[in-house]
Amino acid sequence: MKTLSLFSGCGGLDIGAKMAGADVVCCIDNDQDSLDTIELNDKGKATLLNADIANLTGSSILSSCGLKKGEIELIIGGPPCQSFSKNNYWTKSGEESLRRRKLMKISAEKEGRDFIADLNLPKKKNRISVDEDIRSNLVSEQARLIKEILPRAFVFENVQSITHPRNKKFLEAFKGIVEDAGYQTSEFQLSSEYFGVAQKRKRVFVVGHLNEPPRKEPIKTHSDEKSIYLKPIVNSGEAIEKYKSKTFFEEEEVITGRWAKYFPDIPPGMNYKALSSWAGYPNPVFEAETKFWNFLLKLHPEKPSWTIASNPGPWVGPFHWDNRRLRTIEMAALQSFPAEYKFVGNRRSKVKQIGNAVPPLMGKAVVETICH
């Protein structure tokens, strides 16, 4: 199937589509490093367009690719998801703040302190609401291009929190546009570890077929329970074992700064809570449940990784169990990128590309529902 890739990033979903038998002939993204990454690995097989899809039409895309209407059979893509992320709506709505205040009040009352006098929370940075964030509108822009090009099928991908009540209207608007154009849709909420990815990454997929019945959910290939039919879940240790040599050393992996000295005291699979009285830590550094769960979070070699973030802060995990930051090649392996896949740009750019990507093996499972 000739395939158009929107919001291609560094090509995670594209790789999965190719594994499933699709022929990706055009990739569109507005990040040049990501397109350079695709160019390096794809070796010029696909047309690459650096553009904002809001400024494109279906006919202009087909013209740029040298194709006619009807020749694109599949459109794949996932619009930027930052405006739909949990971090955004938790801080915006105050849910996380209220939870923390409640815990602090309980603690203060137990210790006989005045909660109001003791309360000294840092102010939250102003955040753009999901309704004001222009990235939210890219969901409908993708639907518009599907309607204009009319491929036989499409795959839409986004974070699970797009189904949150605050965000769901954007997903429903997308489905409304494509269903009006004649597509029957199926919605899948999947977690990547059940498809051979050494990482727990929950995503929503909408798959649409033009004038055809919807498909069943992708078939899981792995299980966290014993099974004679499915393979065991892939753990972090398996996925990145071959990259532990100093040959793969990156200067940025060295942890320095305020919390560096505490890392040896955090067991694999734990976070900052290991340094609290809750965990029995002598001279506690933190109070449990006062920070986000991924603060100082360490991988466990015998478990899948947590979600690899695209723009983590300096103390946001997951970190390696050997008390260092993950190498970019390890992040790519945890995302299920092929070992030979190369990334263009500095470390920050590579981390962003890898963290934003759809795990290829997860993408493969979804596109297989169309190609087979």
Side-chain angles (χ1 to χ4, degrees), residues 20 85-86 97 108 129-130 139 201 223 225 269 312 337 359:
S85 72
K86 282 186 178 181
S97 177
S129 75
V130 67
V139 171
R201 193 179 190 94
S223 174
E225 299 177 355
F337 276 93

PDB file of all heavy atoms in Angstrom, residues 20 85-86 97 108 129-130 139 201 223 225 269 312 337 359:
ATOM      1  N   ALA A  20       4.970  -4.025   8.412  1.00  0.00           N
ATOM      2  CA  ALA A  20       3.663  -4.635   8.147  1.00  0.00           C
ATOM      3  C   ALA A  20       3.391  -4.775   6.649  1.00  0.00           C
ATOM      4  O   ALA A  20       2.377  -5.347   6.260  1.00  0.00           O
ATOM      5  CB  ALA A  20       2.560  -3.807   8.800  1.00  0.00           C
ATOM      6  N   SER A  85      -1.281  15.870  27.187  1.00  0.00           N
ATOM      7  CA  SER A  85      -0.570  15.035  28.154  1.00  0.00           C
ATOM      8  C   SER A  85      -1.137  15.176  29.557  1.00  0.00           C
ATOM      9  O   SER A  85      -1.752  16.181  29.906  1.00  0.00           O
ATOM     10  CB  SER A  85       0.917  15.385  28.184  1.00  0.00           C
ATOM     11  OG  SER A  85       1.108  16.642  28.810  1.00  0.00           O
ATOM     12  N   LYS A  86      -0.896  14.158  30.379  1.00  0.00           N
ATOM     13  CA  LYS A  86      -1.372  14.182  31.763  1.00  0.00           C
ATOM     14  C   LYS A  86      -0.781  15.361  32.528  1.00  0.00           C
ATOM     15  O   LYS A  86      -1.460  16.009  33.313  1.00  0.00           O
ATOM     16  CB  LYS A  86      -0.984  12.877  32.470  1.00  0.00           C
ATOM     17  CG  LYS A  86      -1.869  11.689  32.131  1.00  0.00           C
ATOM     18  CD  LYS A  86      -1.492  10.505  32.993  1.00  0.00           C
ATOM     19  CE  LYS A  86      -2.391   9.311  32.703  1.00  0.00           C
ATOM     20  NZ  LYS A  86      -2.050   8.151  33.545  1.00  0.00           N
ATOM     21  N   SER A  97      -2.196  19.294  42.278  1.00  0.00           N
ATOM     22  CA  SER A  97      -1.941  20.242  43.354  1.00  0.00           C
ATOM     23  C   SER A  97      -2.832  19.969  44.560  1.00  0.00           C
ATOM     24  O   SER A  97      -2.383  19.973  45.706  1.00  0.00           O
ATOM     25  CB  SER A  97      -2.170  21.672  42.855  1.00  0.00           C
ATOM     26  OG  SER A  97      -1.998  22.597  43.903  1.00  0.00           O
ATOM     27  N   ALA A 108       0.891  17.446  58.345  1.00  0.00           N
ATOM     28  CA  ALA A 108       1.030  18.544  59.303  1.00  0.00           C
ATOM     29  C   ALA A 108       0.188  18.283  60.556  1.00  0.00           C
ATOM     30  O   ALA A 108       0.627  18.523  61.683  1.00  0.00           O
ATOM     31  CB  ALA A 108       0.614  19.854  58.642  1.00  0.00           C
ATOM     32  N   SER A 129      -3.950  26.409  27.884  1.00  0.00           N
ATOM     33  CA  SER A 129      -4.979  25.385  27.965  1.00  0.00           C
ATOM     34  C   SER A 129      -5.043  24.615  26.656  1.00  0.00           C
ATOM     35  O   SER A 129      -4.602  25.083  25.607  1.00  0.00           O
ATOM     36  CB  SER A 129      -6.335  26.022  28.272  1.00  0.00           C
ATOM     37  OG  SER A 129      -6.841  26.653  27.121  1.00  0.00           O
ATOM     38  N   VAL A 130      -5.619  23.433  26.732  1.00  0.00           N
ATOM     39  CA  VAL A 130      -5.723  22.587  25.540  1.00  0.00           C
ATOM     40  C   VAL A 130      -6.540  23.278  24.448  1.00  0.00           C
ATOM     41  O   VAL A 130      -6.307  23.089  23.260  1.00  0.00           O
ATOM     42  CB  VAL A 130      -6.324  21.219  25.921  1.00  0.00           C
ATOM     43  CG1 VAL A 130      -7.771  21.361  26.355  1.00  0.00           C
ATOM     44  CG2 VAL A 130      -6.209  20.225  24.780  1.00  0.00           C
ATOM     45  N   VAL A 139      -5.158  17.907  15.102  1.00  0.00           N
ATOM     46  CA  VAL A 139      -5.967  16.682  15.035  1.00  0.00           C
ATOM     47  C   VAL A 139      -6.983  16.805  13.896  1.00  0.00           C
ATOM     48  O   VAL A 139      -7.129  15.913  13.062  1.00  0.00           O
ATOM     49  CB  VAL A 139      -6.678  16.439  16.383  1.00  0.00           C
ATOM     50  CG1 VAL A 139      -7.678  15.296  16.258  1.00  0.00           C
ATOM     51  CG2 VAL A 139      -5.663  16.138  17.477  1.00  0.00           C
ATOM     52  N   ARG A 201       4.080   1.823  27.346  1.00  0.00           N
ATOM     53  CA  ARG A 201       3.706   3.085  26.694  1.00  0.00           C
ATOM     54  C   ARG A 201       2.278   2.939  26.192  1.00  0.00           C
ATOM     55  O   ARG A 201       2.016   2.204  25.248  1.00  0.00           O
ATOM     56  CB  ARG A 201       4.665   3.361  25.538  1.00  0.00           C
ATOM     57  CG  ARG A 201       4.599   4.770  24.966  1.00  0.00           C
ATOM     58  CD  ARG A 201       5.627   4.903  23.841  1.00  0.00           C
ATOM     59  NE  ARG A 201       5.788   6.274  23.399  1.00  0.00           N
ATOM     60  CZ  ARG A 201       6.706   7.111  23.863  1.00  0.00           C
ATOM     61  NH1 ARG A 201       7.573   6.707  24.776  1.00  0.00           N
ATOM     62  NH2 ARG A 201       6.789   8.336  23.404  1.00  0.00           N
ATOM     63  N   SER A 223       2.926 -11.516  26.666  1.00  0.00           N
ATOM     64  CA  SER A 223       2.077 -11.518  27.862  1.00  0.00           C
ATOM     65  C   SER A 223       2.931 -11.457  29.128  1.00  0.00           C
ATOM     66  O   SER A 223       4.058 -11.951  29.144  1.00  0.00           O
ATOM     67  CB  SER A 223       1.209 -12.789  27.894  1.00  0.00           C
ATOM     68  OG  SER A 223       0.489 -12.880  29.103  1.00  0.00           O
ATOM     69  N   GLU A 225       1.890 -12.940  31.751  1.00  0.00           N
ATOM     70  CA  GLU A 225       1.538 -14.183  32.416  1.00  0.00           C
ATOM     71  C   GLU A 225       2.056 -15.364  31.578  1.00  0.00           C
ATOM     72  O   GLU A 225       2.287 -15.231  30.378  1.00  0.00           O
ATOM     73  CB  GLU A 225       0.021 -14.295  32.573  1.00  0.00           C
ATOM     74  CG  GLU A 225      -0.589 -13.173  33.419  1.00  0.00           C
ATOM     75  CD  GLU A 225      -2.094 -13.276  33.496  1.00  0.00           C
ATOM     76  OE1 GLU A 225      -2.667 -14.165  32.813  1.00  0.00           O
ATOM     77  OE2 GLU A 225      -2.707 -12.476  34.225  1.00  0.00           O
ATOM     78  N   GLY A 269      14.111   0.257  40.012  1.00  0.00           N
ATOM     79  CA  GLY A 269      12.655   0.220  40.025  1.00  0.00           C
ATOM     80  C   GLY A 269      12.014   1.193  40.988  1.00  0.00           C
ATOM     81  O   GLY A 269      10.785   1.271  41.059  1.00  0.00           O
ATOM     82  N   PRO A 312      12.563  15.422  28.940  1.00  0.00           N
ATOM     83  CA  PRO A 312      12.631  15.263  30.387  1.00  0.00           C
ATOM     84  C   PRO A 312      13.477  16.344  31.055  1.00  0.00           C
ATOM     85  O   PRO A 312      14.434  16.852  30.463  1.00  0.00           O
ATOM     86  CB  PRO A 312      13.296  13.890  30.556  1.00  0.00           C
ATOM     87  CG  PRO A 312      14.170  13.768  29.342  1.00  0.00           C
ATOM     88  CD  PRO A 312      13.398  14.435  28.233  1.00  0.00           C
ATOM     89  N   PHE A 337      13.337   0.475  18.223  1.00  0.00           N
ATOM     90  CA  PHE A 337      13.958   0.836  16.953  1.00  0.00           C
ATOM     91  C   PHE A 337      14.979  -0.230  16.577  1.00  0.00           C
ATOM     92  O   PHE A 337      15.640  -0.803  17.454  1.00  0.00           O
ATOM     93  CB  PHE A 337      14.667   2.191  17.061  1.00  0.00           C
ATOM     94  CG  PHE A 337      13.769   3.368  16.866  1.00  0.00           C
ATOM     95  CD1 PHE A 337      13.166   3.985  17.963  1.00  0.00           C
ATOM     96  CD2 PHE A 337      13.510   3.865  15.601  1.00  0.00           C
ATOM     97  CE1 PHE A 337      12.333   5.072  17.797  1.00  0.00           C
ATOM     98  CE2 PHE A 337      12.671   4.960  15.420  1.00  0.00           C
ATOM     99  CZ  PHE A 337      12.081   5.570  16.514  1.00  0.00           C
ATOM    100  N   PRO A 359       6.541   3.462  19.120  1.00  0.00           N
ATOM    101  CA  PRO A 359       7.400   2.277  19.057  1.00  0.00           C
ATOM    102  C   PRO A 359       7.116   1.479  17.781  1.00  0.00           C
ATOM    103  O   PRO A 359       5.963   1.109  17.526  1.00  0.00           O
ATOM    104  CB  PRO A 359       6.999   1.488  20.312  1.00  0.00           C
ATOM    105  CG  PRO A 359       6.449   2.514  21.245  1.00  0.00           C
ATOM    106  CD  PRO A 359       5.760   3.514  20.364  1.00  0.00           C
TER     107      PRO A 359
END
